[in-house]
Amino acid sequence: MKTAPIIQVQKLSRAFRTYKKQPGLLGAVKGLFRRDYELTAAVDGISFAVEEGEFVGFLGPNGAGKTTTLKMLAGLLHPSGGSASVLGYTPWERPVEYRRQFALLLGQKNQLWWDLPARESLELNGKIYGIPRRDFERTVGDLAELLQVEDKLDVMVRELSLGERMKLELIAALLHRPKVLFLDEPTIGLDVVSQKVVREFLRTYNETFRTTILLTSHYMSDIEALCRRVIIIDEGRIFFDGALEEVIDRFADFKLVTVQLESGAHLSAWDWQQFGTVLEESRDRLKLKVSRDRVIPVCKALLERLPVADIDIQEVSAEEVIRNIFARSGSRRPRASSAVADPALLKPVAA
């Protein structure tokens, strides 16, 4: 018997109304008597479902609506329309039972007290969640060991590096063993070593506890290492929802073909551009960007013309594919409603 999804979102929307000020002093005076407002749909009728234990990447350019969606699912924002259910609860009603079962970690927001050792903030969180002392000590010890910060628990938070602070923020978010974890840019600004440690930790935690995780990140290495499924959102609407490999199959319209010549052979003078875009050309090596539908004939032509020792055909990286998708969609920006837009979008769903 199939169980209901842990996260269920149906036509969820959130619009923001902003004051459009006229320039100069005269504009400020006019604003005292008549104001024009601009209505912008940050999230525009999105629907998706996430099953228990899934690790889903939530991708999109800046301003696409990712963080707004996470905040609605965490109950920090009321939607303008639609519905959502997380663990069977309506998030913005914020029942105590729900708040004990999820965690939201914002990479650019701190939950640890700046002027206190991290351990004291963790102890405060432990008291808030009513975690027994023995369970608290075991959980903090296990998580600190996995994240390699055992020696940082008694250091003032303001004296920690960004990577150390983020690892301790993760411990604070996971202290109560949440069933659902919302992560918004958890590796932002971290060095490559810290990023790897955090990624390995999240993978292990997800596999061990079957925690349902929704992750936003601008680092495709995070997404490729952790997420089998991705949801791409742009201009407040879902653009794609499926396997990461399918993104490449659907949106990568070319492959990379690299030819290595035999020892002592030289690349002859030829118009290689007729086969594709030349990315690299040296004495004994040629790398081309070739349309997917021309890969086979191009490889055949290269083998006929050159003394080839090795030929390599590669898919484009997921990072480049996603970047190209965002670049294409960027030409449609910005999308903002005028002051006469439907005011019903601004009416919050009843709590």
Side-chain angles (χ1 to χ4, degrees), residues 87-276:
L87 295 166
Y89 299 97
T90 301
W92 43 90
E93 292 179 356
R94 293 188 63 78
V96 173
E97 295 82 2
Y98 174 55
R99 283 181 282 167
R100 289 183 177 276
Q101 297 184 71
F102 86 93
L104 170 66
L105 178 61
L106 302 172
Q108 301 186 61
K109 300 288 184 182
N110 297 328
Q111 59 180 318
L112 300 176
W113 289 82
W114 191 250
D115 292 316
L116 293 176
R119 188 186 298 276
E120 295 190 22
S121 292
L122 296 177
E123 289 184 353
L124 175 61
N125 282 11
K127 295 293 185 182
I128 291 173
Y129 285 105
I131 302 171
R133 187 67 190 183
R134 180 176 296 180
D135 293 343
F136 170 83
E137 293 290 351
R138 183 173 61 251
T139 300
V140 171
D142 291 345
L143 296 179
E145 182 179 359
L146 283 170
L147 287 165
Q148 305 172 14
V149 287
E150 301 103 310
D151 58 337
K152 304 298 179 182
L153 291 170
D154 296 309
V155 178
M156 294 288 186
V157 171
R158 55 185 164 80
E159 297 176 0
L160 297 171
S161 69
L162 179 59
E164 293 164 347
R165 193 162 68 247
M166 182 51 61
K167 292 173 186 177
L168 290 163
E169 293 278 356
L170 261 175
I171 294 175
L174 298 174
L175 200 58
H176 59 295
R177 301 291 191 192
K179 295 180 180 179
V180 175
L181 180 59
F182 301 117
L183 297 174
D184 186 34
E185 302 284 355
T187 59
I188 188 168
L190 304 190
D191 60 75
V192 291
V193 176
S194 295
Q195 286 179 20
K196 184 177 179 180
V197 171
V198 170
R199 283 197 295 266
E200 290 295 332
F201 169 79
L202 290 173
R203 182 192 295 110
T204 301
Y205 193 89
N206 171 251
E207 293 172 352
T208 303
F209 298 101
R210 286 191 55 78
T211 305
T212 304
I213 302 177
L214 198 56
L215 165 71
T216 77
S217 179
H218 283 115
Y219 297 120
M220 277 307 300
S221 52
D222 290 347
I223 304 299
E224 290 177 300
L226 297 170
C227 307
R228 295 181 181 178
R229 173 187 170 196
V230 295
I231 297 173
I232 301 177
I233 184 172
D234 187 30
E235 297 185 335
R237 300 189 182 103
I238 290 181
F239 179 80
F240 175 87
D241 183 355
L244 182 59
E245 294 81 2
E246 191 180 340
V247 175
I248 298 174
D249 292 339
R250 285 184 55 181
F251 301 107
D253 50 7
F254 58 87
K255 291 188 178 185
L256 304 177
V257 177
T258 304
V259 172
Q260 181 67 46
L261 303 188
E262 295 176 351
S263 179
H266 300 280
L267 199 63
S268 59
W270 193 276
D271 182 18
W272 304 113
Q273 293 284 355
Q274 64 180 297
F275 298 114

Side-chain angles (χ1 to χ4, degrees), residues 273-287:
Q273 293 284 355
Q274 64 180 297
F275 298 114
T277 303
V278 177
L279 301 179
E280 180 184 335
E281 183 178 356
S282 61
R283 190 180 68 170
D284 59 353
R285 181 181 171 90
L286 178 67
K287 186 174 183 179

